[in-house]
Amino acid sequence: MKSFRSKAFFVFTCLSLGASTAPLIAAQVGSIQQAAITAAPPVKSDVVKKDYLRPSAVPFPSDNPFTPEKLKLGKALYFDTRLSNSGSQSCASCHSPSLGWGDGLAKGVGDGMKQLKRRSPTILNAAWGSIFMWDGRAASLEQQALGPIQAEAEMNMSLAKLLERLTSISEYRPLFEAAFPGEGMNATTIAKAIATFERTVVSGWAPFDDWISGNKNAISSSAARGFDLFVGKAGCAECHSGWNFTDDSFHDIGMSDADIGRAEFNKISVKMQHAFKTPGLRDITLRGPYMHNGSLATLEAVVDHYDQGGVARTSRSDLIRPLGLTAQEKADLVAFMKTLTGEAISMQLPVLPR
């Protein structure tokens, strides 16, 4: 079986992927086992510290609780190219464990190898999300899971044809029955299985986690200064907040393209023009190029964009403004972001049902 190496932390309760020092998710509750918090980090205050501590458990919704059977089914569906009309694309084609759960491209590629208008977002730490896609058109991870499958420009597979195809694969039937006893194979159970798998895609323990837990030597002095800038002068934490470094909201950050983003679904607020969802920053070094349109190739370019303030227009977020950063401060911010990439862990592709 083919193996991937990824900085993303990946756990399977009954499909153990090998030894790792990363946390483990307990099957019955999805708990993250992680190093104990032993001391306050050398930054700002206890309030700041608490904002960035990793959570103790992976959240699963009450209407789709975790089970190992759902995880096994969801993993198979996620990597199965037969979920696309062409039979050549799977969810993993655009959200690969080898590329920070993205695809490494400036813009995604859909059915017929046609370029899409936006970059493929990562699914890393999606369990903590409350709204999905760059423009927020999916209200749940279950809804998101079915979106690309049905989208004509992406996997181009109708639900009717998908069910017909999966029904013809005999080994899928017992997997669905084990995961959803008495419910059968349908759009709802497909979405729940894939969403369950995606919720287990959790970033690994990173140098920043060691540092915020009290290990003063876990990151460089430059990175430590970068964190102070991140939560202070640079104002990054206004949007990139919490342990996953996202407010899960939408902002116009002054990118110079015509894409109206969130305004397609929220036509009332002027501030939603050109607004896109704030991406989390975990494993950020694995996930370039950056921004919704993949227009910035490096973290240095991202910092330069924010330092300059972007395109000034009515919709631009009030949080975006020229920062006046020095060359050293920019380097410190980049050094800090590099500490957010977590431990590597190997994984194996599933043997797909026949």
Side-chain angles (χ1 to χ4, degrees):
M1 290 186 286
K2 187 177 179 181
S3 295
F4 284 105
R5 290 290 294 176
S6 169
K7 294 283 186 179
F9 169 58
F10 216 102
V11 181
F12 300 95
T13 303
C14 289
L15 306 173
S16 179
L17 304 177
S20 171
T21 56
L24 297 177
I25 299 180
Q28 61 270 44
V29 295
S31 298
I32 295 178
Q33 308 291 320
Q34 63 183 48
I37 303 306
T38 58
V43 294
K44 299 292 184 183
S45 67
D46 283 344
V47 173
V48 171
K49 168 199 165 187
K50 291 174 182 176
D51 286 345
Y52 290 92
L53 293 176
R54 294 175 66 96
S56 60
V58 177
F60 290 86
S62 59
D63 61 348
N64 189 19
F66 176 87
T67 68
E69 293 79 13
K70 286 183 195 175
L71 179 57
K72 182 177 181 179
L73 172 61
K75 181 185 181 184
L77 292 168
Y78 186 90
F79 285 98
D80 197 334
T81 59
R82 291 170 292 186
L83 269 66
S84 65
N85 185 51
S86 66
S88 62
Q89 289 183 297
S90 67
C91 302
S93 298
C94 293
H95 309 283
S96 169
S98 293
L99 297 165
W101 298 96
D103 58 16
L105 302 174
K107 294 182 179 178
V109 173
D111 189 54
M113 298 303 293
K114 294 179 181 177
Q115 188 180 69
L116 305 175
K117 70 175 184 177
R118 294 173 185 158
R119 178 171 153 263
S120 300
T122 184
I123 64 162
L124 190 68
N125 298 334
W128 287 268
S130 59
I131 192 169
F132 301 91
M133 310 287 201
W134 281 112
D135 53 23
R137 65 184 181 275
S140 70
L141 199 52
E142 285 74 11
Q143 184 180 345
Q144 180 277 328
L146 291 179
I149 294 172
Q150 299 176 84
E152 183 176 349
E154 297 184 55
M155 295 169 75
N156 193 25
M157 175 70 98
S158 70
L159 290 179
K161 186 173 180 179
L162 174 61
L163 289 170
E164 180 182 351
R165 185 174 291 181
L166 291 180
T167 301
S168 70
I169 303 169
S170 61
E171 290 182 357
Y172 262 124
R173 298 171 200 164
L175 290 177
F176 273 92
E177 181 57 30
F180 302 98
E183 294 185 49
M185 184 188 301
N186 53 60
T188 298
T189 53
I190 291 170
K192 284 185 174 182
I194 295 174
T196 295
F197 173 83
E198 290 180 334
R199 288 188 176 99
T200 68
V201 179
V202 180
S203 57
W205 190 263
F208 173 77
D209 297 309
D210 273 339
W211 183 70
I212 207 74
S213 299
N215 180 358
K216 296 180 181 181
N217 299 317
I219 67 175
S220 68
S221 57
S222 174
R225 292 193 303 269
F227 180 69
D228 280 343
L229 288 163
F230 190 91
V231 300
K233 176 181 176 180
C236 311
E238 295 287 347
C239 300
H240 294 283
S241 54
W243 86 278
N244 195 31
F245 295 87
T246 175
D247 61 0
D248 221 35
S249 190
F250 303 85
H251 307 274
D252 173 7
I253 60 170
M255 297 300 294
S256 57
D257 68 354
D259 195 335
I260 63 172
R262 181 64 175 160
E264 284 189 52
F265 303 94
N266 184 336
K267 302 182 185 300
I268 299 174
S269 174
V270 172
K271 290 296 185 182
M272 290 298 100
Q273 288 286 334
H274 306 288
F276 295 88
K277 185 179 176 181
T278 306
L281 299 183
R282 291 285 179 167
D283 285 2
I284 192 64
T285 59
L286 304 179
R287 291 173 24 218
Y290 303 101
M291 307 306 193
H292 70 274
N293 57 9
S295 61
L296 301 181
T298 66
L299 291 175
E300 287 80 4
V302 171
V303 171
D304 282 339
H305 169 80
Y306 283 110
D307 182 50
Q308 294 160 13
V311 176
R313 55 193 173 210
T314 304
S315 60
R316 188 181 69 176
S317 170
D318 296 335
L319 299 170
I320 303 298
R321 63 195 184 284
L323 299 173
L325 298 174
T326 67
Q328 183 61 60
E329 287 173 330
K330 292 178 183 180
D332 290 343
L333 278 169
V334 172
F336 161 66
M337 286 189 282
K338 289 180 177 179
T339 72
L340 301 179
T341 295
E343 295 175 338
I345 189 169
S346 61
M347 65 164 290
Q348 293 182 326
L349 293 174
V351 176
L352 297 178
R354 295 175 292 175

